PDB file of all heavy atoms in Angstrom:
ATOM      1  N   GLU A  58      20.958  17.726  34.289  1.00  0.00           N
ATOM      2  CA  GLU A  58      19.875  16.815  33.908  1.00  0.00           C
ATOM      3  C   GLU A  58      20.157  15.384  34.331  1.00  0.00           C
ATOM      4  O   GLU A  58      19.245  14.621  34.639  1.00  0.00           O
ATOM      5  CB  GLU A  58      19.651  16.859  32.385  1.00  0.00           C
ATOM      6  CG  GLU A  58      19.046  18.146  31.873  1.00  0.00           C
ATOM      7  CD  GLU A  58      20.115  19.192  31.552  1.00  0.00           C
ATOM      8  OE1 GLU A  58      21.311  18.923  31.796  1.00  0.00           O
ATOM      9  OE2 GLU A  58      19.753  20.281  31.081  1.00  0.00           O
ATOM     10  N   MET A  62      17.646  13.033  36.181  1.00  0.00           N
ATOM     11  CA  MET A  62      17.261  11.769  35.560  1.00  0.00           C
ATOM     12  C   MET A  62      17.431  10.614  36.538  1.00  0.00           C
ATOM     13  O   MET A  62      16.589   9.710  36.608  1.00  0.00           O
ATOM     14  CB  MET A  62      18.100  11.519  34.306  1.00  0.00           C
ATOM     15  CG  MET A  62      17.738  10.247  33.565  1.00  0.00           C
ATOM     16  SD  MET A  62      16.193  10.365  32.649  1.00  0.00           S
ATOM     17  CE  MET A  62      16.790  11.049  31.104  1.00  0.00           C
ATOM     18  N   GLY A  91       7.891  10.771  31.158  1.00  0.00           N
ATOM     19  CA  GLY A  91       7.762  11.976  30.344  1.00  0.00           C
ATOM     20  C   GLY A  91       8.789  13.027  30.726  1.00  0.00           C
ATOM     21  O   GLY A  91       9.376  13.686  29.866  1.00  0.00           O
ATOM     22  N   GLU A  92       9.004  13.197  32.022  1.00  0.00           N
ATOM     23  CA  GLU A  92      10.031  14.142  32.479  1.00  0.00           C
ATOM     24  C   GLU A  92      11.412  13.692  32.029  1.00  0.00           C
ATOM     25  O   GLU A  92      12.254  14.516  31.628  1.00  0.00           O
ATOM     26  CB  GLU A  92       9.979  14.265  34.000  1.00  0.00           C
ATOM     27  CG  GLU A  92       8.758  15.020  34.519  1.00  0.00           C
ATOM     28  CD  GLU A  92       8.821  15.244  36.022  1.00  0.00           C
ATOM     29  OE1 GLU A  92       9.818  15.846  36.481  1.00  0.00           O
ATOM     30  OE2 GLU A  92       7.906  14.792  36.727  1.00  0.00           O
ATOM     31  N   MET A  93      11.654  12.380  32.079  1.00  0.00           N
ATOM     32  CA  MET A  93      12.940  11.859  31.616  1.00  0.00           C
ATOM     33  C   MET A  93      13.133  12.129  30.132  1.00  0.00           C
ATOM     34  O   MET A  93      14.231  12.480  29.675  1.00  0.00           O
ATOM     35  CB  MET A  93      13.012  10.355  31.906  1.00  0.00           C
ATOM     36  CG  MET A  93      13.075  10.021  33.395  1.00  0.00           C
ATOM     37  SD  MET A  93      12.681   8.293  33.742  1.00  0.00           S
ATOM     38  CE  MET A  93      14.183   7.490  33.224  1.00  0.00           C
ATOM     39  N   ALA A  94      12.055  11.970  29.364  1.00  0.00           N
ATOM     40  CA  ALA A  94      12.132  12.241  27.931  1.00  0.00           C
ATOM     41  C   ALA A  94      12.479  13.706  27.665  1.00  0.00           C
ATOM     42  O   ALA A  94      13.288  14.020  26.798  1.00  0.00           O
ATOM     43  CB  ALA A  94      10.799  11.886  27.262  1.00  0.00           C
ATOM     44  N   SER A  95      11.884  14.597  28.414  1.00  0.00           N
ATOM     45  CA  SER A  95      12.156  16.030  28.244  1.00  0.00           C
ATOM     46  C   SER A  95      13.605  16.363  28.560  1.00  0.00           C
ATOM     47  O   SER A  95      14.251  17.156  27.863  1.00  0.00           O
ATOM     48  CB  SER A  95      11.217  16.850  29.130  1.00  0.00           C
ATOM     49  OG  SER A  95       9.875  16.637  28.769  1.00  0.00           O
ATOM     50  N   LEU A  96      14.122  15.764  29.618  1.00  0.00           N
ATOM     51  CA  LEU A  96      15.515  16.008  29.997  1.00  0.00           C
ATOM     52  C   LEU A  96      16.472  15.503  28.917  1.00  0.00           C
ATOM     53  O   LEU A  96      17.435  16.176  28.554  1.00  0.00           O
ATOM     54  CB  LEU A  96      15.818  15.324  31.327  1.00  0.00           C
ATOM     55  CG  LEU A  96      15.138  15.926  32.563  1.00  0.00           C
ATOM     56  CD1 LEU A  96      15.293  14.992  33.758  1.00  0.00           C
ATOM     57  CD2 LEU A  96      15.726  17.293  32.891  1.00  0.00           C
ATOM     58  N   ALA A  97      16.186  14.305  28.400  1.00  0.00           N
ATOM     59  CA  ALA A  97      17.045  13.752  27.360  1.00  0.00           C
ATOM     60  C   ALA A  97      16.963  14.585  26.090  1.00  0.00           C
ATOM     61  O   ALA A  97      17.957  14.820  25.420  1.00  0.00           O
ATOM     62  CB  ALA A  97      16.661  12.304  27.077  1.00  0.00           C
ATOM     63  N   ALA A  98      15.751  15.044  25.752  1.00  0.00           N
ATOM     64  CA  ALA A  98      15.583  15.863  24.557  1.00  0.00           C
ATOM     65  C   ALA A  98      16.347  17.171  24.682  1.00  0.00           C
ATOM     66  O   ALA A  98      16.912  17.664  23.707  1.00  0.00           O
ATOM     67  CB  ALA A  98      14.094  16.136  24.318  1.00  0.00           C
ATOM     68  N   LYS A  99      16.374  17.733  25.869  1.00  0.00           N
ATOM     69  CA  LYS A  99      17.104  18.981  26.089  1.00  0.00           C
ATOM     70  C   LYS A  99      18.576  18.790  25.761  1.00  0.00           C
ATOM     71  O   LYS A  99      19.196  19.626  25.094  1.00  0.00           O
ATOM     72  CB  LYS A  99      16.925  19.446  27.530  1.00  0.00           C
ATOM     73  CG  LYS A  99      17.612  20.763  27.839  1.00  0.00           C
ATOM     74  CD  LYS A  99      17.358  21.174  29.282  1.00  0.00           C
ATOM     75  CE  LYS A  99      18.091  22.481  29.601  1.00  0.00           C
ATOM     76  NZ  LYS A  99      17.891  22.885  31.016  1.00  0.00           N
ATOM     77  N   ARG A 100      19.132  17.670  26.215  1.00  0.00           N
ATOM     78  CA  ARG A 100      20.540  17.412  25.931  1.00  0.00           C
ATOM     79  C   ARG A 100      20.766  17.154  24.440  1.00  0.00           C
ATOM     80  O   ARG A 100      21.754  17.576  23.874  1.00  0.00           O
ATOM     81  CB  ARG A 100      21.029  16.210  26.748  1.00  0.00           C
ATOM     82  CG  ARG A 100      21.414  16.565  28.172  1.00  0.00           C
ATOM     83  CD  ARG A 100      22.497  17.646  28.156  1.00  0.00           C
ATOM     84  NE  ARG A 100      22.773  18.141  29.481  1.00  0.00           N
ATOM     85  CZ  ARG A 100      23.811  17.737  30.226  1.00  0.00           C
ATOM     86  NH1 ARG A 100      24.637  16.833  29.762  1.00  0.00           N
ATOM     87  NH2 ARG A 100      24.004  18.253  31.411  1.00  0.00           N
ATOM     88  N   SER A 101      19.829  16.430  23.804  1.00  0.00           N
ATOM     89  CA  SER A 101      20.021  16.138  22.383  1.00  0.00           C
ATOM     90  C   SER A 101      19.917  17.406  21.547  1.00  0.00           C
ATOM     91  O   SER A 101      20.587  17.549  20.532  1.00  0.00           O
ATOM     92  CB  SER A 101      19.002  15.094  21.904  1.00  0.00           C
ATOM     93  OG  SER A 101      17.698  15.605  21.965  1.00  0.00           O
ATOM     94  N   ASN A 102      19.082  18.353  21.980  1.00  0.00           N
ATOM     95  CA  ASN A 102      18.975  19.626  21.275  1.00  0.00           C
ATOM     96  C   ASN A 102      20.261  20.415  21.367  1.00  0.00           C
ATOM     97  O   ASN A 102      20.567  21.240  20.517  1.00  0.00           O
ATOM     98  CB  ASN A 102      17.818  20.455  21.835  1.00  0.00           C
ATOM     99  CG  ASN A 102      16.474  19.977  21.299  1.00  0.00           C
ATOM    100  OD1 ASN A 102      16.407  19.489  20.193  1.00  0.00           O
ATOM    101  ND2 ASN A 102      15.438  20.099  22.108  1.00  0.00           N
ATOM    102  N   GLU A 103      20.995  20.174  22.433  1.00  0.00           N
ATOM    103  CA  GLU A 103      22.266  20.859  22.605  1.00  0.00           C
ATOM    104  C   GLU A 103      23.406  20.119  21.919  1.00  0.00           C
ATOM    105  O   GLU A 103      24.577  20.446  22.090  1.00  0.00           O
ATOM    106  CB  GLU A 103      22.564  20.997  24.105  1.00  0.00           C
ATOM    107  CG  GLU A 103      21.577  21.899  24.844  1.00  0.00           C
ATOM    108  CD  GLU A 103      21.749  21.846  26.360  1.00  0.00           C
ATOM    109  OE1 GLU A 103      22.560  21.037  26.827  1.00  0.00           O
ATOM    110  OE2 GLU A 103      21.072  22.618  27.043  1.00  0.00           O
ATOM    111  N   ASP A 104      23.037  19.062  21.137  1.00  0.00           N
ATOM    112  CA  ASP A 104      24.019  18.257  20.395  1.00  0.00           C
ATOM    113  C   ASP A 104      25.017  17.547  21.301  1.00  0.00           C
ATOM    114  O   ASP A 104      26.097  17.169  20.859  1.00  0.00           O
ATOM    115  CB  ASP A 104      24.773  19.119  19.376  1.00  0.00           C
ATOM    116  CG  ASP A 104      23.872  19.559  18.225  1.00  0.00           C
ATOM    117  OD1 ASP A 104      22.919  18.814  17.934  1.00  0.00           O
ATOM    118  OD2 ASP A 104      24.130  20.613  17.652  1.00  0.00           O
ATOM    119  N   ASP A 105      24.677  17.385  22.555  1.00  0.00           N
ATOM    120  CA  ASP A 105      25.522  16.608  23.458  1.00  0.00           C
ATOM    121  C   ASP A 105      25.033  15.167  23.408  1.00  0.00           C
ATOM    122  O   ASP A 105      24.377  14.679  24.309  1.00  0.00           O
ATOM    123  CB  ASP A 105      25.427  17.176  24.883  1.00  0.00           C
ATOM    124  CG  ASP A 105      26.441  16.528  25.820  1.00  0.00           C
ATOM    125  OD1 ASP A 105      27.088  15.558  25.393  1.00  0.00           O
ATOM    126  OD2 ASP A 105      26.566  16.986  26.960  1.00  0.00           O
ATOM    127  N   ALA A 109      23.188  12.608  26.084  1.00  0.00           N
ATOM    128  CA  ALA A 109      21.780  12.395  25.787  1.00  0.00           C
ATOM    129  C   ALA A 109      21.489  10.912  25.621  1.00  0.00           C
ATOM    130  O   ALA A 109      20.482  10.391  26.109  1.00  0.00           O
ATOM    131  CB  ALA A 109      21.389  13.147  24.519  1.00  0.00           C
ATOM    132  N   PHE A 110      22.392  10.211  24.940  1.00  0.00           N
ATOM    133  CA  PHE A 110      22.185   8.781  24.732  1.00  0.00           C
ATOM    134  C   PHE A 110      22.227   8.031  26.060  1.00  0.00           C
ATOM    135  O   PHE A 110      21.442   7.111  26.299  1.00  0.00           O
ATOM    136  CB  PHE A 110      23.238   8.220  23.786  1.00  0.00           C
ATOM    137  CG  PHE A 110      23.035   6.771  23.454  1.00  0.00           C
ATOM    138  CD1 PHE A 110      21.999   6.383  22.620  1.00  0.00           C
ATOM    139  CD2 PHE A 110      23.851   5.793  23.988  1.00  0.00           C
ATOM    140  CE1 PHE A 110      21.782   5.048  22.324  1.00  0.00           C
ATOM    141  CE2 PHE A 110      23.651   4.465  23.698  1.00  0.00           C
ATOM    142  CZ  PHE A 110      22.618   4.089  22.859  1.00  0.00           C
ATOM    143  N   LEU A 112      21.345   9.197  28.917  1.00  0.00           N
ATOM    144  CA  LEU A 112      20.084   9.465  29.589  1.00  0.00           C
ATOM    145  C   LEU A 112      18.953   8.647  28.956  1.00  0.00           C
ATOM    146  O   LEU A 112      18.086   8.121  29.658  1.00  0.00           O
ATOM    147  CB  LEU A 112      19.750  10.961  29.500  1.00  0.00           C
ATOM    148  CG  LEU A 112      20.732  11.935  30.157  1.00  0.00           C
ATOM    149  CD1 LEU A 112      20.248  13.364  29.973  1.00  0.00           C
ATOM    150  CD2 LEU A 112      20.894  11.630  31.630  1.00  0.00           C
ATOM    151  N   PHE A 113      18.992   8.548  27.636  1.00  0.00           N
ATOM    152  CA  PHE A 113      17.961   7.772  26.966  1.00  0.00           C
ATOM    153  C   PHE A 113      18.029   6.299  27.376  1.00  0.00           C
ATOM    154  O   PHE A 113      17.006   5.629  27.466  1.00  0.00           O
ATOM    155  CB  PHE A 113      18.109   7.877  25.448  1.00  0.00           C
ATOM    156  CG  PHE A 113      17.153   8.851  24.831  1.00  0.00           C
ATOM    157  CD1 PHE A 113      17.522  10.148  24.557  1.00  0.00           C
ATOM    158  CD2 PHE A 113      15.859   8.463  24.524  1.00  0.00           C
ATOM    159  CE1 PHE A 113      16.641  11.043  23.983  1.00  0.00           C
ATOM    160  CE2 PHE A 113      14.968   9.351  23.945  1.00  0.00           C
ATOM    161  CZ  PHE A 113      15.356  10.653  23.676  1.00  0.00           C
ATOM    162  N   GLN A 116      16.134   5.807  30.394  1.00  0.00           N
ATOM    163  CA  GLN A 116      14.717   5.882  30.077  1.00  0.00           C
ATOM    164  C   GLN A 116      14.239   4.618  29.350  1.00  0.00           C
ATOM    165  O   GLN A 116      13.201   4.039  29.682  1.00  0.00           O
ATOM    166  CB  GLN A 116      14.459   7.109  29.206  1.00  0.00           C
ATOM    167  CG  GLN A 116      12.987   7.346  28.917  1.00  0.00           C
ATOM    168  CD  GLN A 116      12.810   8.480  27.934  1.00  0.00           C
ATOM    169  OE1 GLN A 116      13.773   8.939  27.356  1.00  0.00           O
ATOM    170  NE2 GLN A 116      11.593   8.904  27.746  1.00  0.00           N
ATOM    171  N   GLN A 143       5.033   9.472  23.989  1.00  0.00           N
ATOM    172  CA  GLN A 143       5.790  10.316  24.896  1.00  0.00           C
ATOM    173  C   GLN A 143       7.274  10.289  24.564  1.00  0.00           C
ATOM    174  O   GLN A 143       7.953  11.310  24.518  1.00  0.00           O
ATOM    175  CB  GLN A 143       5.561   9.769  26.306  1.00  0.00           C
ATOM    176  CG  GLN A 143       5.984  10.648  27.456  1.00  0.00           C
ATOM    177  CD  GLN A 143       5.487  10.018  28.739  1.00  0.00           C
ATOM    178  OE1 GLN A 143       4.410  10.327  29.189  1.00  0.00           O
ATOM    179  NE2 GLN A 143       6.252   9.140  29.304  1.00  0.00           N
ATOM    180  N   LEU A 144       7.788   9.078  24.298  1.00  0.00           N
ATOM    181  CA  LEU A 144       9.207   8.935  23.995  1.00  0.00           C
ATOM    182  C   LEU A 144       9.530   9.492  22.611  1.00  0.00           C
ATOM    183  O   LEU A 144      10.552  10.159  22.428  1.00  0.00           O
ATOM    184  CB  LEU A 144       9.600   7.458  24.073  1.00  0.00           C
ATOM    185  CG  LEU A 144      11.056   7.103  23.736  1.00  0.00           C
ATOM    186  CD1 LEU A 144      12.017   7.899  24.612  1.00  0.00           C
ATOM    187  CD2 LEU A 144      11.295   5.619  23.917  1.00  0.00           C
ATOM    188  N   THR A 145       8.658   9.244  21.633  1.00  0.00           N
ATOM    189  CA  THR A 145       8.912   9.704  20.278  1.00  0.00           C
ATOM    190  C   THR A 145       9.042  11.222  20.209  1.00  0.00           C
ATOM    191  O   THR A 145       9.867  11.760  19.464  1.00  0.00           O
ATOM    192  CB  THR A 145       7.774   9.237  19.335  1.00  0.00           C
ATOM    193  OG1 THR A 145       7.702   7.814  19.373  1.00  0.00           O
ATOM    194  CG2 THR A 145       8.025   9.691  17.910  1.00  0.00           C
ATOM    195  N   GLU A 146       8.222  11.929  20.971  1.00  0.00           N
ATOM    196  CA  GLU A 146       8.273  13.393  20.974  1.00  0.00           C
ATOM    197  C   GLU A 146       9.634  13.911  21.410  1.00  0.00           C
ATOM    198  O   GLU A 146      10.028  15.015  21.047  1.00  0.00           O
ATOM    199  CB  GLU A 146       7.183  13.942  21.898  1.00  0.00           C
ATOM    200  CG  GLU A 146       5.769  13.761  21.344  1.00  0.00           C
ATOM    201  CD  GLU A 146       4.719  14.172  22.338  1.00  0.00           C
ATOM    202  OE1 GLU A 146       5.095  14.630  23.441  1.00  0.00           O
ATOM    203  OE2 GLU A 146       3.518  14.043  22.033  1.00  0.00           O
ATOM    204  N   SER A 147      10.355  13.120  22.199  1.00  0.00           N
ATOM    205  CA  SER A 147      11.639  13.587  22.705  1.00  0.00           C
ATOM    206  C   SER A 147      12.796  13.252  21.770  1.00  0.00           C
ATOM    207  O   SER A 147      13.922  13.689  21.984  1.00  0.00           O
ATOM    208  CB  SER A 147      11.907  12.980  24.081  1.00  0.00           C
ATOM    209  OG  SER A 147      12.114  11.588  23.977  1.00  0.00           O
ATOM    210  N   GLU A 148      12.537  12.455  20.718  1.00  0.00           N
ATOM    211  CA  GLU A 148      13.604  12.082  19.790  1.00  0.00           C
ATOM    212  C   GLU A 148      13.720  13.145  18.707  1.00  0.00           C
ATOM    213  O   GLU A 148      13.060  13.082  17.670  1.00  0.00           O
ATOM    214  CB  GLU A 148      13.312  10.709  19.176  1.00  0.00           C
ATOM    215  CG  GLU A 148      13.435   9.582  20.172  1.00  0.00           C
ATOM    216  CD  GLU A 148      13.259   8.223  19.522  1.00  0.00           C
ATOM    217  OE1 GLU A 148      12.563   8.122  18.495  1.00  0.00           O
ATOM    218  OE2 GLU A 148      13.806   7.259  20.053  1.00  0.00           O
ATOM    219  N   THR A 149      14.531  14.116  18.943  1.00  0.00           N
ATOM    220  CA  THR A 149      14.673  15.242  18.022  1.00  0.00           C
ATOM    221  C   THR A 149      15.584  14.893  16.857  1.00  0.00           C
ATOM    222  O   THR A 149      16.262  13.864  16.855  1.00  0.00           O
ATOM    223  CB  THR A 149      15.261  16.445  18.762  1.00  0.00           C
ATOM    224  OG1 THR A 149      16.568  16.091  19.238  1.00  0.00           O
ATOM    225  CG2 THR A 149      14.391  16.835  19.936  1.00  0.00           C
ATOM    226  N   GLY A 150      15.612  15.771  15.859  1.00  0.00           N
ATOM    227  CA  GLY A 150      16.406  15.540  14.669  1.00  0.00           C
ATOM    228  C   GLY A 150      17.866  15.214  14.926  1.00  0.00           C
ATOM    229  O   GLY A 150      18.360  14.177  14.470  1.00  0.00           O
ATOM    230  N   PRO A 151      18.598  16.072  15.668  1.00  0.00           N
ATOM    231  CA  PRO A 151      20.008  15.775  15.927  1.00  0.00           C
ATOM    232  C   PRO A 151      20.202  14.441  16.648  1.00  0.00           C
ATOM    233  O   PRO A 151      21.115  13.681  16.331  1.00  0.00           O
ATOM    234  CB  PRO A 151      20.466  16.954  16.806  1.00  0.00           C
ATOM    235  CG  PRO A 151      19.518  18.048  16.481  1.00  0.00           C
ATOM    236  CD  PRO A 151      18.221  17.399  16.190  1.00  0.00           C
ATOM    237  N   TYR A 152      19.333  14.157  17.600  1.00  0.00           N
ATOM    238  CA  TYR A 152      19.463  12.905  18.334  1.00  0.00           C
ATOM    239  C   TYR A 152      19.192  11.705  17.428  1.00  0.00           C
ATOM    240  O   TYR A 152      19.921  10.703  17.458  1.00  0.00           O
ATOM    241  CB  TYR A 152      18.505  12.881  19.532  1.00  0.00           C
ATOM    242  CG  TYR A 152      18.600  11.588  20.310  1.00  0.00           C
ATOM    243  CD1 TYR A 152      19.607  11.408  21.250  1.00  0.00           C
ATOM    244  CD2 TYR A 152      17.718  10.555  20.065  1.00  0.00           C
ATOM    245  CE1 TYR A 152      19.727  10.219  21.942  1.00  0.00           C
ATOM    246  CE2 TYR A 152      17.831   9.357  20.750  1.00  0.00           C
ATOM    247  CZ  TYR A 152      18.833   9.187  21.688  1.00  0.00           C
ATOM    248  OH  TYR A 152      18.949   7.998  22.360  1.00  0.00           O
TER     249      TYR A 152
END
Side-chain angles (χ1 to χ4, degrees):
E58 290 88 356
M62 182 74 87
E92 288 186 57
M93 292 163 76
S95 298
L96 291 168
K99 182 179 178 182
R100 278 303 173 99
S101 66
N102 281 329
E103 295 171 355
D104 291 332
D105 188 352
F110 184 72
L112 298 180
F113 259 96
Q116 185 186 10
Q143 193 172 268
L144 178 56
T145 301
E146 289 174 2
S147 68
E148 291 185 332
T149 62
Y152 179 82

